[in-house]
Amino acid sequence: MNMDNKPAMLPGAWWRGLGGWNFYFLLKFGLLWFGYLNFHALSNLVFLAWLLFPLPSQRLHRVRQWISLPAGIALFWHDTWLPGLNSLLSQGNQLAGFSPAYLLDLVERFINWEMIGAAFVLLVLYLFVAQWIRITVLVTLALIWLNVLTIAGPAMNLLPEKSATPAVVLNDKPAASKAPEGLDQSAPPTSANLTAWLNRFYDSERQRATHFPDALPADSQPFDILVINICSLSWADIDVAQLRTHPLWQHFDIMLNNYNSATGYSGPAGIRLLRASCGQTSHSNLYKSTDQRCYLFDNLAKLGFKQQLMMDHTGVFGNYLKELREDGNLQAPLMSQTGIAPELTSFDGSPVFNDGQLMQRWLDDRTKSSDARSATFYNLIPLHDGTRELGSTRTADWQPRAKVLFDQLDTFLTNLEKSGRRVMVLVVPEHGAALQGDKMQMSGLRDIPSPGITHVPVGIKFVGMKAPHQGQPLTIDTPTSLLAISEIVSRVVDGQVFNAPNVNMSVLTDNLPQTPVVSENDNAVVMMYQGKPWIRLNGGDWVAYPQ
């Protein structure tokens, strides 16, 4: 019994400092300072309390250290922008399909020697300073202060001040700022408000659909539609490779400069494009049944356009071809690749066939065919990360691959113009290649559909018009997405655009449906709100996309 009525104190020997865990937290503080962490302040404070809780015996202390190691690693992973466990499990089968050379390339890319060097310097400084200063006290106070900031709001910001303008933004002009009805962004960007806005966005998109005529008029003109769906091509990639001035881009009559592909992966991108006749849906709803009117190629088939499918790869990896058929409802047989020379080797070791030869085969087949109208979905992957030259085990540079592909497309469009055929060509990339990584993910990764990945160039060309082409492409800078593609197609299905003596592209593209920037993969949603990108991972809280 304590006769003096004083509270009993724990023996001083029971209290132990953080020891090496100090470096663990200092490393996190450093990464947080430079914006490389999605730091969970309360979780780290609880972990620190667990490490500091006084234990009576050295044996219990050792047991705690062993338990803390996997817990600390898991918490560190949780604090990064790296894919979560659900994402890794969902991508596990695809990872197993990567070639060993590509996996090694990814590992080498993942290692950042500059950051490893900086961590070593921090370790030496910690060991040196710890001789005189109780680092545990400083780490504890810093972590408590971070929790106070989290609760009280940004009264004082630990992070360096950044410009309000994101590093990669879509090219908004004043006309593009007009949000669809009910989707204003005036509310403060709290996590609850952002979630409510996203729900309103999907509610609004469910009401939108393209109207196609029930039948073509008697004076309609036959023509072909060719949708060229290029994997791994964004404006950011084009800028990194300095290919904006390539002659290819001068071929087009219309450029959608502010187009959002809405995803960072090929399968979902293909499904979204094939379902372009309805408003944008969530990622999970892509794999559920939908209204028949949503299928762009089905709408065209009802008007007499024969469906065709062309690819420069096998379509086996990631069940890509299977997803096009089951979730995109594209049942056309795959155009034969027999006799087409392999041009590259894909990241999974399968061949990537020569696109120049494939496009020429399409033109030859259409010239011989008796079908008056056709609608072709053509998927290309020579720009995909990990693609290599024949016989090589190293990933080929993206810029030379892109230049070859652009040259092939340029030659094809030139030959198409000489052929006299009437063809509507739409170049609609799936997503970007992520040539330049950011603070959330390294180059080549697309688990998070950032604006730099989903902001893609869309070009539309009418080959065989009677009307003269304008000198420069008409650029559309309002925020558009897949519904705009379907809308433009619906406006020209009668083919009169090819027969008219004059064509005003501005009238053809007037009042295209605008779509706010919302992009989604399996476990990540990125959207633009009040001119800034915001991200939600694994259904958690929204945070500003780190710049």
Side-chain angles (χ1 to χ4, degrees):
M1 180 179 293
N2 190 333
M3 301 302 294
D4 295 329
N5 292 323
K6 293 180 180 179
M9 301 295 292
L10 292 171
W14 290 15
W15 290 95
R16 298 174 178 87
L18 291 172
W21 289 105
N22 278 311
F23 177 67
Y24 171 89
F25 287 107
L26 289 173
L27 189 60
K28 282 189 173 183
F29 293 160
L31 291 171
L32 175 62
W33 177 265
F34 291 103
Y36 286 100
L37 286 187
N38 180 26
F39 192 71
H40 299 82
L42 182 58
S43 299
N44 280 271
L45 186 60
V46 171
F47 186 56
L48 180 138
W50 154 260
L51 293 170
L52 286 178
F53 189 82
L55 295 176
S57 73
Q58 188 68 28
R59 181 183 177 187
L60 286 175
H61 178 67
R62 281 198 217 86
V63 171
R64 176 171 61 185
Q65 295 286 12
W66 283 108
I67 295 174
S68 299
L69 280 172
I73 293 171
L75 181 58
F76 207 121
W77 189 283
H78 182 56
D79 279 336
T80 68
W81 301 106
L82 294 170
L85 180 61
N86 290 339
S87 179
L88 291 175
L89 291 176
S90 66
Q91 300 294 328
N93 291 336
Q94 295 195 21
L95 287 172
F98 290 172
S99 67
Y102 183 45
L103 287 172
L104 179 61
D105 184 33
L106 288 176
V107 170
E108 291 176 351
R109 236 186 289 170
F110 183 78
I111 300 173
N112 188 320
W113 292 108
E114 289 185 358
M115 293 187 71
I116 290 175
F120 177 70
V121 171
L122 180 63
L123 175 63
V124 173
L125 288 174
Y126 158 68
L127 294 173
F128 181 72
V129 174
Q131 298 178 85
W132 301 284
I133 299 175
R134 296 199 57 159
I135 304 297
T136 296
V137 175
L138 297 179
V139 167
T140 303
L141 291 175
L143 199 46
I144 291 173
W145 179 240
L146 284 174
N147 276 268
V148 170
L149 291 179
T150 303
I151 295 170
M156 184 175 179
N157 197 351
L158 173 70
L159 301 180
E161 289 297 322
K162 296 287 183 182
S163 168
T165 304
V168 179
V169 297
L170 304 188
N171 299 322
D172 289 331
K173 289 188 176 181
S177 63
K178 183 176 65 176
E181 186 177 350
L183 291 177
D184 69 277
Q185 299 185 343
S186 58
T190 64
S191 193
N193 286 342
L194 291 168
T195 298
W197 186 92
L198 181 64
N199 291 334
R200 291 198 305 273
F201 168 78
Y202 283 131
D203 288 341
S204 172
E205 290 295 296
R206 274 192 287 271
Q207 311 305 316
R208 302 212 291 174
T210 305
H211 173 72
F212 280 83
D214 295 328
L216 293 177
D219 61 348
S220 62
Q221 302 296 312
F223 70 102
D224 299 311
I225 297 174
L226 175 60
V227 179
I228 301 177
N229 190 219
I230 304 175
C231 177
S232 303
L233 177 65
S234 71
W235 283 117
D237 301 326
I238 291 171
D239 288 337
V240 169
Q242 299 181 338
L243 288 173
R244 275 207 188 227
T245 58
H246 193 280
L248 169 66
W249 307 114
Q250 296 305 311
H251 270 286
F252 297 105
D253 297 305
I254 301 168
M255 289 292 300
L256 303 184
N257 284 347
N258 212 349
Y259 183 93
N260 180 48
S261 69
T263 184
Y265 280 125
S266 298
I271 298 169
R272 288 188 183 278
L273 185 52
L274 292 173
R275 293 186 178 189
S277 294
C278 286
Q280 185 172 322
T281 184
S282 65
H283 177 84
S284 59
N285 283 340
L286 291 176
Y287 301 95
K288 298 176 183 177
S289 60
T290 189
D291 194 305
Q292 198 68 24
R293 64 178 178 168
C294 297
Y295 297 110
L296 173 61
F297 278 70
D298 277 8
N299 290 327
L300 292 170
K302 292 172 184 175
L303 297 174
F305 289 82
K306 182 181 178 181
Q307 292 188 14
Q308 294 186 323
L309 173 62
M310 184 164 62
M311 299 192 303
D312 65 2
H313 56 103
T314 63
V316 173
F317 183 82
N319 294 317
Y320 177 77
L321 182 55
K322 181 181 178 184
E323 288 191 358
L324 292 188
R325 301 208 185 284
E326 293 183 357
D327 301 301
N329 205 31
L330 184 62
Q331 306 304 327
L334 179 62
M335 192 183 82
S336 174
Q337 298 162 338
T338 303
I340 303 296
E343 185 174 31
L344 298 162
T345 301
S346 182
F347 54 90
D348 64 344
S350 63
V352 179
F353 297 101
N354 186 292
D355 285 292
Q357 295 178 18
L358 279 168
M359 288 185 281
Q360 186 59 46
R361 172 169 291 183
W362 178 88
L363 179 55
D364 293 341
D365 287 352
R366 289 305 302 142
T367 303
K368 300 172 186 174
S369 175
S370 59
D371 297 311
R373 297 173 176 86
S374 71
T376 304
F377 183 87
Y378 176 28
N379 184 254
L380 303 77
I381 67 165
L383 305 185
H384 193 289
D385 190 59
T387 302
R388 53 190 188 268
E389 301 289 345
L390 296 175
S392 173
T393 59
R394 303 292 298 176
T395 297
D397 289 341
W398 189 91
Q399 197 272 355
R401 282 184 281 144
K403 187 177 184 307
V404 168
L405 178 60
F406 290 3
D407 288 345
Q408 290 171 335
L409 288 167
D410 183 48
T411 300
F412 170 68
L413 290 176
T414 300
N415 291 338
L416 201 55
E417 289 165 349
K418 294 177 181 177
S419 72
R421 291 201 64 82
R422 294 173 172 178
V423 185
M424 180 186 188
V425 180
L426 301 96
V427 172
V428 188
E430 296 177 352
H431 51 71
L435 286 186
Q436 207 165 38
D438 58 26
K439 292 180 178 179
M440 295 199 69
Q441 55 190 355
M442 68 182 186
S443 64
L445 283 188
R446 291 170 280 107
D447 201 64
I448 296 169
S450 67
I453 292 172
T454 63
H455 180 204
V456 300
V458 170
I460 300 170
K461 171 73 174 177
F462 296 97
V463 181
M465 289 197 308
K466 284 186 178 179
H469 292 273
Q470 55 209 16
Q472 294 290 327
L474 172 68
T475 58
I476 306 299
D477 293 301
T478 51
T480 56
S481 193
L482 298 126
L483 194 62
I485 297 293
S486 179
E487 179 66 24
I488 293 175
V489 171
S490 73
R491 295 179 182 183
V492 300
V493 286
D494 62 3
Q496 292 296 342
V497 68
F498 294 95
N499 211 33
N502 291 290
V503 176
N504 188 331
M505 294 295 168
S506 296
V507 174
L508 180 60
T509 57
D510 188 38
N511 291 320
L512 282 179
Q514 298 184 28
T515 304
V517 178
V518 176
S519 304
E520 188 172 358
N521 284 348
D522 190 18
N523 296 298
V525 183
V526 178
M527 67 185 191
M528 298 294 288
Y529 191 87
Q530 296 182 352
K532 299 179 183 179
W534 294 81
I535 178 171
R536 184 179 70 184
L537 291 176
N538 304 306
D541 290 334
W542 291 90
V543 295
Y545 197 97
Q547 301 301 314

